[in-house]
Amino acid sequence: MKSIIDILDLSTDEIEELIAVAEDIIQNPRAYAHRMEGKKLATLFFEPSTRTRMSFEAAMYELGGNVISMASAASSSAAKGESVADTVKTVSCYADIIAMRHPKEGAALVAANSASVPVINAGDGGHCHPTQTLADLFTIRREKGRFSGLTVGVCGDLKFGRTVHSLINALSRYPDVHFVLISPEELKVPSYVKRDVLAKKGIPYEQTTNLEGVIGDLDILYMTRVQRERFFNEEDYLRLRDSYILTPEKLKGAKADLSVMHPLPRVNEISVAIDDDPRACYFKQVKNGKYMRMALILKLIGGDGQ
Ligand code: CP
């Protein structure tokens, strides 16, 4: 039984397999329509979500399976003080696989150690969000045809943005990737990511506060929201929330084949005027995420997708 807590729980070969299955699902959806018949996915979301929760649920339904879920954390027994460990032990009695989001870093690992079915981390605090990274990788592969040799700009809240931490971890396994880390001083990539991932693997990176100064160098620009829910005070959030707003004017300095990505939800980081630009990929990420979650469910509970 395998759980997915971190993107590094999947080897690069396994990611290639998932991409191949996701492509095949897109081409042959009917071949997969009954693969999870009789199986149940439980979605346990202790934090708000639109995409991750609904794409897991859509993924399971499109595989012919069923879904059970908590209406909200507040209406579950977590509100009475039940631990994550006891919650997942209980839900393991009802479901074949669990997708869980929790505000505390490490909660997904606690869940995986307590559950008797596979647990997929759907985001644990500011730590990581591996299935968003699967969506991101599939999108990069479809847009660029490769992972190696790319200059990847990540911009915004790089301190609390869990999708950024997972993406850096994932792309650091491919040759000749160069990161440009664009953030306010207060929201830089945590030192443990720089030390344990970038420096350890000798990955070239630069840090800057100036998006306009580097946008022309980038193959991918991964914008992120300033994570209001992780700030200790509202004043700091209000000061930093609009640090970067991507506009058509700023995109004029970018490559013609730049891919603009964002895990969403967006607040102000990308002007809606960019949505129709062919370089905008963020709604493609949403769609691609469902196919990668279908492929992951198949991998973890009984199908190989072939
Ligand atoms: N990208 C993402 O995790 O979106 P949600 O918070 O809506 O699930």
Side-chain angles (χ1 to χ4, degrees):
M1 185 190 80
K2 179 165 178 166
S3 289
I4 302 298
I5 305 307
D6 190 300
I7 192 66
L8 299 181
D9 293 332
L10 293 164
S11 67
T12 53
D13 285 348
E14 287 176 310
I15 287 173
E16 287 305 320
E17 284 166 27
L18 293 175
I19 288 174
V21 173
E23 282 290 0
D24 197 49
I25 293 170
I26 292 170
Q27 301 306 324
N28 305 295
R30 289 173 61 182
Y32 294 86
H34 304 286
R35 294 290 291 271
M36 284 293 117
E37 259 171 15
K39 303 269 190 191
K40 286 195 289 282
L41 162 76
T43 50
L44 303 184
F45 277 63
F46 296 88
E47 263 194 347
S49 168
T50 297
R51 275 148 295 275
T52 312
R53 178 176 178 150
M54 294 188 78
S55 68
F56 265 117
E57 295 184 355
M60 194 57 168
Y61 283 126
E62 289 185 30
L63 292 167
N66 287 297
V67 176
I68 56 174
S69 76
M70 306 189 312
S72 67
S75 66
S76 78
S77 286
K80 302 176 204 162
E82 187 168 51
S83 67
V84 166
D86 284 358
T87 300
V88 298
K89 275 183 195 162
T90 302
V91 175
S92 296
C93 300
Y94 309 142
D96 301 285
I97 187 165
I98 296 170
M100 188 183 95
R101 171 171 290 184
H102 199 281
K104 289 214 172 99
E105 292 81 2
L109 184 59
V110 170
N113 288 339
S114 307
S116 52
V117 299
V119 172
I120 303 173
N121 180 7
D124 62 329
H127 182 220
C128 56
H129 191 349
T131 63
Q132 178 62 46
T133 306
L134 292 177
D136 300 340
L137 291 175
F138 190 31
T139 304
I140 292 169
R141 175 58 65 79
R142 295 193 109 206
E143 295 300 310
K144 299 289 180 206
R146 67 190 199 282
F147 297 129
S148 54
L150 296 172
T151 299
V152 181
V154 285
C155 177
D157 184 349
L158 310 188
K159 178 178 181 184
F160 297 118
R162 57 193 172 199
T163 63
V164 167
H165 308 155
S166 290
L167 185 67
I168 290 173
N169 252 312
L171 287 175
S172 293
R173 295 193 288 187
Y174 298 94
D176 197 23
V177 172
H178 173 213
F179 289 102
V180 184
L181 309 175
I182 309 150
S183 73
E185 288 294 329
E186 295 94 325
L187 298 178
K188 282 180 168 174
V189 168
S191 52
Y192 78 88
V193 175
K194 283 184 271 193
R195 184 189 60 232
D196 298 343
V197 183
L198 297 171
K200 194 170 178 183
K201 294 183 180 171
I203 310 291
Y205 70 93
E206 60 189 277
Q207 298 187 100
T208 178
T209 56
N210 180 7
L211 173 59
E212 287 95 321
V214 294
I215 197 166
D217 302 332
L218 307 177
D219 300 305
I220 291 167
L221 173 56
Y222 193 94
M223 298 294 294
T224 62
R225 172 179 69 92
V226 175
Q227 306 271 304
R228 179 182 205 159
E229 62 274 32
R230 316 252 179 257
F231 274 69
F232 290 112
N233 71 69
E234 184 73 359
E235 200 178 301
D236 284 347
Y237 167 73
L238 293 173
R239 182 169 53 80
L240 293 167
R241 67 176 176 180
D242 290 331
S243 298
Y244 302 100
I245 301 176
L246 188 64
T247 59
E249 189 59 30
K250 286 182 191 155
L251 260 193
K252 281 182 186 160
K255 290 182 182 175
D257 65 347
L258 173 72
S259 296
V260 179
M261 300 178 67
H262 192 308
L264 304 180
R266 131 180 86 182
V267 184
N268 279 330
E269 311 80 53
I270 302 179
S271 158
V272 293
I274 288 176
D275 293 1
D276 293 329
D277 189 297
R279 291 171 286 189
C281 295
Y282 25 97
F283 290 106
K284 292 180 187 172
Q285 285 168 265
V286 173
K287 204 165 206 175
N288 291 337
K290 182 187 71 176
Y291 296 118
M292 286 300 264
R293 289 182 177 107
M294 289 173 80
L296 184 62
I297 291 169
L298 283 168
K299 177 178 176 60
L300 296 180
I301 53 169
D304 62 6
Q306 303 306 308

